[in-house]
Amino acid sequence: MPFCEVASPQNAASADANLNDGIKIFYQTYGRGPIKVLLIIGLAGTHDSWGPQIQGLTGSVAPNDDERTSAADCCDNEAGFSGGDIEVCAFDNRGMGRSSIPTKKSEYTTRTMAKDAIALMDHLGWREAHVFGHSMGAMIACKLAAMVPDRILSLALLNVTGGGFECLPRLDRQTLSIAVRFLKAKTPEQRAAVDLDTHYSKGYLEEYVGSNTRRAMLYQEYVKGISATGMQSNHGFEGQINACWTHKMTRKEVELIRSAGFLVSVIHGRHDVIAQIYYARRLAEKLHPVARMVDLPGGHLVSHERTEEVNKALMELIKATEAKTEPHDWTNLPETSSGWMVTRISRIRKSSGEGRSVSFTSSISEKLHLFLVHLFGLFSLALENGRRALRTIKPARVGHAIA
């Protein structure tokens, strides 16, 4: 099995750090060629969640460590690159899949997980790579790009947010229902049902493919997949949640990415109930002129729901990088000073009467939203604490899986 050993934070500072005491990151590589692509998956996801993109980039989903895989198995991809042009690496983040599961929350931050990715690039012998991340993986990709900008060829951020309260979904009856069901989910069947509602748009799930809806078809696939990999452990889930909640990109880090010279593609599903598109667009504006915004009619897992469009956007990013496209020819965003506080500045410049009205209404709306976000966080925390309390009171049941 392909693993990369990473020095633990306690030993990393030591000159004689013993890597055998560190974290093991499970990974797979696909395809062969000089163009390297690192894929970083999100919360509770495993490396094979990138399947549609691996297929689109390399023409095959057969991992390179499979003895039956040869260079001839790599077909031409969707952008016209030959099967021997692109090599992809996808991996399980710490806390999920076959990678190590640290027990301390402090060992889960987007910066620490970015160091895992850097260690993996070193392990593979990759000096540079295109880095594509989804959701929490996009947060990790941002940290990675700010830490080692000279090793990034391009950056794709799928369904990204800025971390902290931005990770909380928009508040309505649907998302509150999803939150309750998610916390209650104990079996692969229960988890599969709630995952579908968080990953895909309602319209997509209700579409018929033959005699069945996509929901019915995907439900069986999800149950099978979750049963095969197992429910995420409490340590892994709580640790990765901590990484999302504590994630923050400073102005300096954003500026490091914006001025590094590589192109960025921010790809988002406009019906995402988890990561709101407003925050992704705001990040893209901060990264102007190197960023392009790709707004698609899909949910949080837009990479699966709109596979063809997402793969096309990723291929365009690679091709633009290879062609050394200039940022101003790449971006589709309006020119701003730097993206910081643009909306608020434009409001201030309006006529006095209208400006005061808009500013007052906006201020009230923002405060109300923050209050509701805080209330939702307290509600979720109360449910989780209640669940833990009941777990300590009730006798343990032998034979039942622990979430």
Side-chain angles (χ1 to χ4, degrees):
M1 287 291 181
F3 285 95
C4 168
E5 293 189 348
V6 182
S8 64
Q10 291 82 359
N11 291 338
S14 174
D16 58 349
N18 185 353
L19 289 181
N20 291 329
D21 292 335
I23 304 298
K24 289 186 176 181
I25 300 297
F26 177 81
Y27 70 93
Q28 292 280 19
T29 59
Y30 309 80
R32 293 176 173 85
I35 300 173
K36 311 298 185 183
V37 178
L38 184 67
L39 302 177
I40 310 178
I41 197 57
L43 174 72
T46 55
H47 67 283
D48 50 10
S49 299
W50 284 108
Q53 283 61 59
I54 294 169
Q55 177 70 46
L57 291 167
T58 69
S60 173
V61 291
N64 289 340
D65 71 331
D66 189 332
E67 294 180 356
R68 297 165 294 178
T69 304
S70 65
D73 295 322
C74 300
C75 306
D76 289 355
N77 55 40
E78 297 170 6
F81 288 114
S82 71
D85 282 337
I86 298 178
E87 181 178 3
V88 167
C89 176
F91 63 97
D92 296 343
N93 284 308
R94 60 172 62 201
M96 187 58 194
R98 283 177 271 186
S99 290
S100 299
I101 304 175
T103 57
K104 296 179 180 178
K105 279 187 182 180
S106 60
E107 294 191 65
Y108 295 87
T109 67
T110 51
R111 183 175 181 82
T112 297
M113 296 163 91
K115 290 180 179 179
D116 291 345
I118 295 171
L120 179 54
M121 288 177 66
D122 292 341
H123 175 79
L124 294 169
W126 290 7
R127 176 64 187 84
E128 298 175 310
H130 299 271
V131 177
F132 303 162
H134 176 266
S135 193
M136 179 188 73
M139 300 181 205
I140 296 169
C142 283
K143 282 293 181 185
L144 173 62
M147 290 165 67
V148 287
D150 59 314
R151 300 186 65 174
I152 309 300
L153 293 173
S154 73
L155 184 66
L157 307 173
L158 284 70
N159 296 78
V160 68
T161 74
F165 74 88
E166 292 185 15
C167 295
L168 294 174
R170 67 171 185 264
L171 295 172
D172 54 27
R173 184 177 297 178
Q174 179 191 7
T175 52
L176 285 172
S177 171
I178 289 172
V180 173
R181 289 163 54 210
F182 184 85
L183 291 172
K184 287 182 176 180
K186 300 291 186 183
T187 66
E189 290 77 14
Q190 292 172 335
R191 181 60 184 270
V194 70
D195 277 358
L196 291 179
D197 287 327
T198 58
H199 290 170
Y200 302 97
S201 63
K202 184 178 180 181
Y204 179 78
L205 289 173
E206 301 310 318
E207 287 178 2
Y208 273 86
V209 180
S211 59
N212 294 318
T213 63
R214 290 189 189 275
R215 182 186 295 275
M217 297 171 63
L218 288 168
Y219 175 75
Q220 297 300 328
E221 292 180 16
Y222 268 54
V223 171
K224 182 179 179 181
I226 295 171
S227 298
T229 59
M231 297 281 283
Q232 188 176 23
S233 71
N234 286 336
H235 288 308
F237 175 69
E238 292 172 4
Q240 290 191 352
I241 286 288
N242 182 69
C244 294
W245 187 252
T246 58
H247 174 74
K248 179 179 174 59
M249 293 297 292
T250 65
R251 288 195 181 193
K252 181 179 180 181
E253 289 173 320
V254 172
E255 183 57 28
L256 279 171
I257 296 173
R258 195 176 76 87
S259 61
F262 53 80
L263 301 177
V264 181
S265 188
V266 179
I267 305 169
H268 212 94
R270 67 178 70 115
H271 305 303
D272 191 340
V273 298
I274 297 178
Q276 298 181 62
I277 194 171
Y278 165 79
Y279 298 117
R281 189 178 297 279
R282 190 170 69 172
L283 177 59
E285 289 171 350
K286 291 176 183 178
L287 293 172
H288 184 276
V290 299
R292 171 183 288 187
M293 185 73 199
V294 182
D295 175 352
L296 297 172
H300 188 63
L301 205 56
V302 71
S303 55
H304 285 226
E305 188 169 339
R306 296 290 172 179
T307 297
E308 185 176 345
E309 294 97 318
V310 170
N311 288 354
K312 179 183 177 183
L314 297 177
M315 284 298 192
E316 287 177 348
L317 180 59
I318 294 174
K319 290 176 73 174
T321 301
E322 293 291 305
K324 295 179 170 36
T325 301
E326 290 295 325
H328 288 284
D329 294 325
W330 168 253
T331 189
N332 59 356
L333 296 166
E335 187 168 357
T336 63
S337 57
S338 67
W340 294 97
M341 305 294 284
V342 172
T343 304
R344 183 161 294 184
I345 291 170
S346 66
R347 286 179 183 148
I348 293 173
R349 289 177 178 173
K350 289 189 175 184
S351 61
S352 57
E354 181 186 0
R356 281 194 297 270
S357 175
V358 171
S359 178
F360 176 76
T361 304
S362 173
S363 176
I364 293 296
S365 297
E366 287 177 3
K367 288 178 180 177
L368 179 61
H369 178 255
L370 286 174
F371 169 74
L372 290 173
V373 165
H374 179 65
L375 187 64
F376 178 78
L378 291 176
F379 173 71
S380 299
L381 185 62
L383 278 177
E384 178 62 17
N385 288 337
R387 187 178 71 171
R388 289 179 182 173
L390 286 174
R391 192 184 302 142
T392 60
I393 295 171
K394 291 181 178 180
R397 296 181 179 179
V398 178
H400 283 254
I402 300 176

